[in-house]
Amino acid sequence: TAFGYEKEIADLKSRHERTKREIEEVGHEKEKTFSRILELERILEGVQERRVEIEGMKKGMLSRLSVLSIDGEAKKKESASLGECLKEVHSRLNALKQIEMGYEWLPEGIGILGVIADFVSVPRGYERALEAAFGDRLKWVLVKESEEALRAVDSLKERSIGRGTFVPIVNNGKKNGHFEKNGKDTVPLWEMIKVEGIDRGVIEDMLRGVFVVSSLREAINLRDEIEEGTFVTPDGDLLHPTGAISGGVSTEGVFERKREIEELSSQIQSLDMKLSKVLKEIDMNREEVEKLQGAIEDIEKESVRVGIEEAEIRKDISNLQDSITKIERRYEIIGFDIRGIDSEIQEKEAGLK
């Protein structure tokens, strides 16, 4: 009947409205899901960029750590080498210092200043000349006054331990002759020496009349021009005023040993400074390595965290893409239902006519 068709048409239209709302909701859900996927893809892109950045940072840190490791080993070897060198120099210096004279045999109260060699130095190359000129006088002991020299001699006699020569520095300034440079500018030895710690006159008096020449032959040629002069060569060969000649091969003497002690002391100071610098660099290297290792541990932890975050985002995107597929299927089904309802409505309305 007409009334029955109208009721069916009304029911179909009501169903059509419900289905239409449903397909709109599905459409909104689809748009929302697409929007969330795009948002996650942007986040994923940032996470991937951070992962690449972390990998670059870690690579740089590992490269720096390798350089520090190599540098640290090199510094340790340098430190060991400097330590060995320092040990050898100390050993040599101690051996030389043990050769120096002690004065334990003297009674208390004698003002010993040292032996003559302690207060005199000469330019490099003239050590043997000065030693030859001084001879045994290098071992002479300087004291303050004549009374102390007498007490020292008495002490030697009482202990029966040999002989010694003691030079009082007070009132010791009497000249033993007057010598000038000759026409050929032969250099007096006393002009070449350096005296520290005592009156220079004490030493000059011992070297009056001693001249430095290049060879014994030159000394013989000059002998007639400088009477009573003593001539000495840089090698230590000597022409005495009497005409006697002393020479040959000289071993290391007091002044060469003294110069070596000074040079070794300076070398020890330099080695100490170098070793101190290297040890400081080793400490700095170790501190940087420790900091770098800590930074690498932190970056590795962040790398793991970023990896987990990336995996979770990818999983979320995959799930959303699956949801899109299901939504699209549902959308198709609902669309098919709407078309079916529309077809039925048209048939019913045609039946009413």
Side-chain angles (χ1 to χ4, degrees), residues 117-137:
D118 294 334
F119 302 94
V120 182
S121 60
V122 70
R124 183 184 297 276
Y126 291 92
E127 295 91 344
R128 295 186 180 183
L130 183 59
E131 190 159 346
F134 269 119
D136 289 339
R137 287 177 293 182

Side-chain angles (χ1 to χ4, degrees), residues 254-267:
V254 174
F255 291 106
E256 288 175 310
R257 188 163 56 246
K258 182 179 177 182
R259 182 180 299 282
E260 187 178 358
I261 288 175
E262 292 174 354
E263 291 174 349
L264 288 174
S265 298
S266 177
Q267 189 177 355

